[in-house]
Amino acid sequence: MTSYQDGAEYAELSPIPSKPLGGIPKRVLDLAVSITALILASPLMLIVAAILWMSGGPVFFAHERIGYRGKKFGCLKFRSMVVNPEQALQAFLAANPDARSEWQQSQKLRNDPRVTLFGHALRRSSIDELPQLFNILRGDMSCVGPRPVTADELDRYGPQSALYLQTRPGLTGLWQTSGRSRLSYEDRVALDSAYITQWSLGRDILILFKTIFAVIRMDETS
């Protein structure tokens, strides 16, 4: 398979290892954790899917993100927004200059008009991200890694982009356990870079345990 499939525009950022960060040990951990989590979470996921299906609109939302070696993939989430989120966002930003500035700085809105009431509950509890377990099984993502970013966001990583492309993005990571909604964008990039340069399997396991407590505390996710 040709390197940089679906992401040839990132080829100039080489050298990038021929295998993702962590190799086989990290992949074995990913499969063990994701399969176990899917079995345990399946009743909850079925309930959430039923509620979203009955409310109208799609159950899942797949947003294009950049993965290992620049490959693009659909990052799965339970739908937490209105049916036409992009149109709602553009209309809101056009009418609210302060919100537009906030979006330009962090690509996030503290009071996002696109998010439904049920969606807020899903995000607050991180339940909306459970479908990414399927991304992990497919090999698009890892249990632990840098935040999955869009092509526009990756441009903001500058020289650190090459580091990002060395690994699969994660369902959780240092950003998840460090108060992600309170971090500046520069802090997020620094955490992603530190994770990659200091990676160890033991650290992945520690981050997974810390994530459990972060979810129990319902740390802000939006």
Side-chain angles (χ1 to χ4, degrees):
M1 182 171 60
T2 303
S3 297
Y4 304 101
Q5 182 179 2
D6 299 325
E9 62 267 36
Y10 302 110
E12 68 273 11
L13 296 174
S14 59
I16 294 174
S18 59
K19 293 184 179 180
L21 181 75
I24 293 176
K26 185 172 176 63
R27 182 61 179 153
V28 169
L29 178 65
D30 286 343
L31 292 174
V33 172
S34 59
I35 291 171
T36 302
L38 276 171
I39 293 172
L40 295 176
S42 57
L44 175 60
M45 294 176 71
L46 288 172
I47 292 172
V48 172
I51 293 173
L52 290 172
W53 179 75
M54 289 187 293
S55 69
V59 171
F60 300 105
F61 174 74
H63 197 270
E64 186 178 273
R65 302 297 171 101
I66 305 298
Y68 169 63
R69 295 184 74 85
K71 183 177 179 180
K72 299 174 183 177
F73 69 95
C75 185
L76 295 173
K77 288 189 177 186
F78 280 123
R79 180 175 60 85
S80 59
M81 296 185 177
V82 296
V83 176
N84 297 307
E86 289 305 316
Q87 293 91 322
L89 174 64
Q90 295 308 318
F92 181 76
L93 295 181
N96 295 272
D98 290 342
R100 184 167 62 250
S101 176
E102 180 185 356
W103 177 261
Q104 290 171 346
Q105 290 177 7
S106 65
Q107 298 294 296
K108 290 182 179 293
L109 293 174
R110 189 165 296 276
N111 298 305
D112 196 323
R114 301 170 296 172
V115 182
T116 65
L117 184 62
F118 184 54
H120 276 293
L122 293 179
R123 289 184 168 202
R124 186 73 178 175
S125 61
S126 295
I127 291 173
D128 65 315
E129 297 180 350
L130 287 177
Q132 290 170 32
L133 292 169
F134 294 112
N135 285 120
I136 296 172
L137 287 179
R138 291 190 340 187
D140 298 326
M141 296 179 62
S142 178
C143 289
V144 184
R147 298 171 307 107
V149 299
T150 64
D152 288 343
E153 286 183 282
L154 187 58
D155 288 340
R156 300 177 64 179
Y157 273 56
Q160 305 305 316
S161 298
L163 278 177
Y164 175 91
L165 297 175
Q166 292 181 15
T167 186
R168 298 181 178 100
L171 172 61
T172 186
L174 286 177
W175 48 276
Q176 169 92 340
T177 58
S178 303
R180 55 180 165 174
S181 68
R182 297 180 292 275
L183 297 173
S184 68
Y185 206 92
E186 291 73 18
D187 288 337
R188 298 177 200 172
V189 174
L191 284 175
D192 287 345
S193 301
Y195 167 79
I196 296 165
T197 57
Q198 301 170 23
W199 179 84
S200 71
L201 194 63
R203 199 177 195 196
D204 272 10
I205 295 172
L206 179 60
I207 291 172
L208 286 171
F209 277 109
K210 286 185 175 181
T211 299
I212 294 173
F213 292 106
V215 171
I216 291 174
R217 293 195 306 269
M218 289 192 177
D219 284 355
E220 186 64 38
T221 62
S222 61

